[in-house]
Amino acid sequence: MPNDKRSSPNPFKRHPLLYVLTATILIISVVCLAVAISPINKYDIDHNILFVISAIYLLAGCSFFLWIYQREQDQQFVSVLPGVIDEVKKVSKVYYNNTSAIQENSESVQKLHNSIEQEIGKLVESNKNIEKILIEMRQEKRQLQDELDNWNQSCIEFFELLRRGWETEGNNECLNVFEKNIQEFEFIVKKRGFSPIKPSKTNKFDEAEHEFKDDEESSDVSPGYILRCKRWGYRSGSKVLRRAEVILAKKPETGVDSVQEEIHQ
C-alpha cells in the first residue's frame, strides 16, 4: 500500500472555537490555582474551594482537549478509510486475478500432462506394433533367404547335371542338345540375377571369380592366364556363390632348362 504523503490539515484551523474554549478553561483553572496558592486573598475565598475549582477546571480542560484530539484522530481515520478500502479492493482484485491465472495455468498443465501421457501410451503401443512388424519382417526375410538359397542350390545342381552330361556326351547331336539346354536355362535364370561363371581359354585370372587348382605347360596361352576350366562357378547378383576352378598356363620348359634342373638335382 503506498504511503499517503499528503500533509495533514492544521486542526486549529479546522476547529478554532473548540481550541479557544479549551484554552479559556485551562487559563481559568490556572488563575484559580494561582489564587489558591497565593497568600493574599482579596476575595476572602476559601483556599480549598479554589483548589477544588482549579482541579475541576483543569480536569475539564484536559478532558475537553483529549476529546478534541480523539475526535480529530477519528476524523482522520474516517478520511483515510476510503483510500484504505480502495487499496484493499485493488489487492483483492490482483489476488483474484493471480489466483484465477494460477488455476487456469494449473488446468492447462493438467491437460498437457494428460495429453502427454496419452501420447506416451500411443507411442508405447506403436513401438510394440513396430517391434512385432520387425520380427515378422525378419522371419519373412529369413524364409525368403532360405528359399533363395534353396533356389540357388537347385540351379547349381541342375547346371552341374547339364555340364556333366555335356562333358561326357560323345554323340554330336546329343551334345548340341545339351549346349542348347544350357543356353536356354542360362537365359531363364539370368532374368533373376543368377548366372554361371564359365571362364574361357586365354581369359585373365581373377581371384574374385576363379580358384587356382593347378598349372600346365602351354605354348599358345600366356603364362598366368586360364588354360581351361575344371569346374564352373556361380553367382547370384553381385555375390559369388562358388568360384570357378581353373587350370592356369605356364611357360613350357626348354631342353636347356631340363639339363640345368638335372645338374642342380
Side-chain angles (χ1 to χ4, degrees):
M1 183 189 302
N3 295 325
D4 191 2
K5 297 182 179 180
R6 292 176 301 177
S7 60
S8 300
N10 191 348
F12 182 77
K13 292 181 179 181
R14 294 181 58 185
H15 309 286
L17 294 178
L18 293 178
Y19 279 99
V20 170
L21 180 61
T22 304
T24 303
I25 295 174
L26 289 175
I27 292 171
I28 293 174
S29 64
V30 171
V31 171
C32 292
L33 183 60
V35 172
I37 296 173
S38 177
I40 301 173
N41 190 355
K42 295 180 180 183
Y43 301 99
D44 195 17
I45 301 174
D46 190 3
H47 291 283
N48 294 328
I49 295 174
L50 289 176
F51 272 117
V52 171
I53 293 173
S54 299
I56 292 173
Y57 273 100
L58 183 62
L59 182 62
C62 291
S63 299
F64 201 63
F65 178 79
L66 290 175
W67 176 78
I68 295 173
Y69 178 79
Q70 186 64 36
R71 185 170 180 274
E72 184 66 25
Q73 293 295 321
D74 292 341
Q75 289 181 352
Q76 290 182 0
F77 176 76
V78 171
S79 63
V80 173
L81 185 60
V84 174
I85 293 174
D86 292 338
E87 293 295 332
V88 172
K89 288 181 179 180
K90 291 179 180 179
V91 173
S92 300
K93 186 177 180 180
V94 172
Y95 175 78
Y96 175 76
N97 293 333
N98 293 336
T99 304
S100 301
I102 293 173
Q103 186 175 1
E104 292 177 357
N105 291 335
S106 300
E107 293 177 355
S108 301
V109 170
Q110 186 64 33
K111 290 180 181 179
L112 180 60
H113 178 71
N114 295 335
S115 62
I116 290 174
E117 286 186 346
Q118 292 177 358
E119 292 298 327
I120 291 174
K122 292 179 181 179
L123 289 175
V124 171
E125 187 67 24
S126 177
N127 188 35
K128 292 180 180 178
N129 295 332
I130 291 174
E131 289 180 354
K132 183 178 179 182
I133 293 172
L134 289 175
I135 293 173
E136 293 177 353
M137 290 179 65
R138 292 191 190 102
Q139 294 176 351
E140 291 179 0
K141 181 181 178 181
R142 196 177 302 113
Q143 292 175 357
L144 292 173
Q145 186 63 44
D146 293 339
E147 293 178 0
L148 180 61
D149 293 340
N150 293 333
W151 186 82
N152 289 334
Q153 186 62 33
S154 300
C155 291
I156 292 173
E157 292 174 356
F158 190 70
F159 267 115
E160 288 296 306
L161 180 64
L162 293 176
R163 183 185 63 82
R164 286 193 296 268
W166 174 68
E167 290 177 349
T168 57
E169 182 58 49
N171 190 324
N172 291 332
E173 185 177 350
C174 293
L175 187 62
N176 292 331
V177 172
F178 272 110
E179 289 180 353
K180 184 178 180 181
N181 288 335
I182 291 173
Q183 291 176 359
E184 290 180 354
F185 188 63
E186 185 177 350
F187 177 76
I188 292 172
V189 296
K190 192 174 183 180
K191 296 179 181 179
R192 297 185 178 273
F194 186 90
S195 61
I197 302 173
K198 299 186 295 182
S200 302
K201 187 178 180 180
T202 70
N203 285 157
K204 189 176 181 180
F205 178 77
D206 185 0
E207 291 184 355
E209 296 184 350
H210 306 145
E211 182 180 356
F212 171 77
K213 282 299 180 182
D214 200 359
D215 55 0
E216 295 179 2
E217 295 179 357
S218 175
S219 58
D220 58 344
V221 178
S222 301
Y225 282 78
I226 296 173
L227 183 62
R228 70 175 184 273
C229 178
K230 188 176 181 181
R231 190 178 71 164
W232 291 349
Y234 301 94
R235 71 162 60 89
S236 177
S238 60
K239 181 181 180 182
V240 176
L241 303 176
R242 191 179 76 184
R243 294 185 295 173
E245 298 178 358
V246 296
I247 305 297
L248 299 181
K250 68 177 181 178
K251 186 178 180 181
E253 296 179 354
T254 61
V256 177
D257 295 335
S258 300
V259 173
Q260 290 178 354
E261 289 182 359
E262 290 178 0
I263 292 173
H264 287 302
Q265 292 177 354

